[in-house]
Amino acid sequence: MTVVRLGAVSFLNARPLTATLADGDGCFDLIYDVPSACSVALRQGRIDLGLIPSIEYATSPVAYCIVPDIAIGCNGEVLTVRLFFRGDPRQIRRVAVDTSSQTSVALLRILLKERYGLSPEFRCASPDLDAMLHGSEAALLIGDPVLPLVDVENAVRGDSLAGASERRSLDLGSEWRELTGLPFVFAFWAGREGAVDRGQVEELIRARCRGAGMAAEIARAFQRERAGPAELYERYLRHHITYDLGEDELRGLREFYRLARVHGVIEAEPELRFYDRPAPIVGLTQR
C-alpha cells in the first residue's frame, strides 16, 4: 500500500477534515502547517496532496487535480478572515496582511476594489494585530489568531471588538456573500494527477463526513490546547465553516477566479480538474 504524504492545515477550521484520518488504515502520513506552507511543499514535491488555498490552484505552475466534495469555505460570515481598521474604511491607503493564506489576500484585493473602489498598498506582516495597525490603516488577520478577538455574539460587519471599542472589522465571508450571493471556497485538497486513488479519495470523504459530526469534541480538545471558550469554537465550526464542494460552492469558486482575473490577481481562469469520484458512500450524512 502506498502511503500518501498529506499536507494538512493546523488551523481549527481544518480539524474536522483530519480528526479521524489517524484512525484509518495508515494510508496517510499527516504533515501540519499553515496554508501557504502547504502550497510550497506541494509545489516542491515534499507532500503528495495538500489542503491548499484555492488561489494556489490558479497560480501554480504545476497542474493539480482536486479531491471532489471536500472544501473549507463559508456561506456568509466566516469570523476568522477579517480586515481590522479604525475610522472610515474608504480612507484605507495601506493594508498589513498576514500571508498565512494567499486566498484571503486575493479575496481582500477583490472586495476592496469591487465594494469600496480601493486599491491600497499591501505590505506583509507577522500576525500581530497591534503591530500591523501601527504603520497601516488596516490589517488582514486570518485563522486561529482571530478567535480571541471576536465576540461571537456581536461579530457582524463593522461592529466593535471586545476589548477594543474603537477598532472595527469587516468579515470577508459576509462581504463576499453580499457582493455575489454565493458561498466562498478558501481551500481544498489537491495534488498532482495520480497522487491518490479512488479508495484514498473515498477515505478522505469519509473522514470529512465523520469529522463534521465531531464539532463539540474538536472544540473541547482545542480549548485544552489554547484556553478560551469551547462554546465559541463549537459555534464557529458548526455555523461559520462549511465543508461542502457542491454546485453552489463551485459557482462561487469560478466567480472568485473570474474576478481574480479581472483584477489582475491571476492571468487566466483555471480549468477545474478532479480526481475520480468514488461510488456514493452509503450511511454517511454530509454536513
Side-chain angles (χ1 to χ4, degrees), residues 15 25 27 50 59-60 72 127 136 146 150 180 193 210 223 233 248 262 267:
R15 295 193 181 193
D25 59 5
C27 63
T59 59
S60 171
I72 294 177
S136 300
V146 183
V150 176
T180 67
E193 185 175 1
R210 292 191 298 261
Q223 181 191 40
Y233 305 146
D248 287 345
V262 166
E267 294 182 358

Side-chain angles (χ1 to χ4, degrees), residues 162-209:
S165 59
E166 78 283 6
R167 190 181 294 155
R168 303 171 64 203
S169 70
L170 296 177
D171 184 290
L172 269 59
S174 296
E175 293 286 314
W176 174 259
R177 181 72 188 183
E178 290 184 27
L179 176 66
T180 67
L182 293 166
F184 189 79
V185 174
F186 286 99
F188 42 68
W189 293 118
R192 290 169 172 79
E193 185 175 1
V196 288
D197 58 31
R198 283 191 180 186
Q200 291 160 336
V201 169
E202 179 174 336
E203 180 54 31
L204 289 169
I205 295 173
R206 286 184 180 274
R208 166 256 166 131
C209 294

Side-chain angles (χ1 to χ4, degrees), residues 73-83 104 107-108 111 115 140-141 155 157 169-186 240-241:
C74 65
N75 194 7
E77 188 180 43
V78 68
L79 281 189
T80 55
V81 183
R82 305 186 81 85
L83 182 71
S104 300
L107 175 59
L108 179 60
L111 291 172
R115 289 184 59 77
L140 173 67
L141 201 62
R157 182 175 178 268
S169 70
L170 296 177
D171 184 290
L172 269 59
S174 296
E175 293 286 314
W176 174 259
R177 181 72 188 183
E178 290 184 27
L179 176 66
T180 67
L182 293 166
F184 189 79
V185 174
F186 286 99
H240 295 279
I241 301 299

Side-chain angles (χ1 to χ4, degrees), residues 1-4 21-29:
M1 177 186 63
T2 301
V3 176
V4 174
L21 284 177
D23 302 329
D25 59 5
C27 63
F28 297 110
D29 178 18

Side-chain angles (χ1 to χ4, degrees), residues 31-101:
I31 303 165
Y32 290 94
D33 216 320
V34 296
S36 56
C38 284
S39 299
V40 173
L42 189 59
R43 286 194 188 197
Q44 295 177 348
R46 291 185 283 111
I47 58 175
D48 303 305
L49 197 74
L51 191 58
I52 63 170
S54 54
I55 199 69
E56 169 68 9
Y57 181 83
T59 59
S60 171
V62 180
Y64 294 141
C65 293
I66 301 168
V67 173
D69 300 337
I70 309 172
I72 294 177
C74 65
N75 194 7
E77 188 180 43
V78 68
L79 281 189
T80 55
V81 183
R82 305 186 81 85
L83 182 71
F84 297 91
F85 61 96
R86 294 183 177 91
D88 185 349
R90 291 172 177 82
Q91 300 303 313
I92 294 171
R93 297 292 179 265
R94 294 176 301 276
V95 181
V97 297
D98 171 5
T99 55
S100 295
S101 171

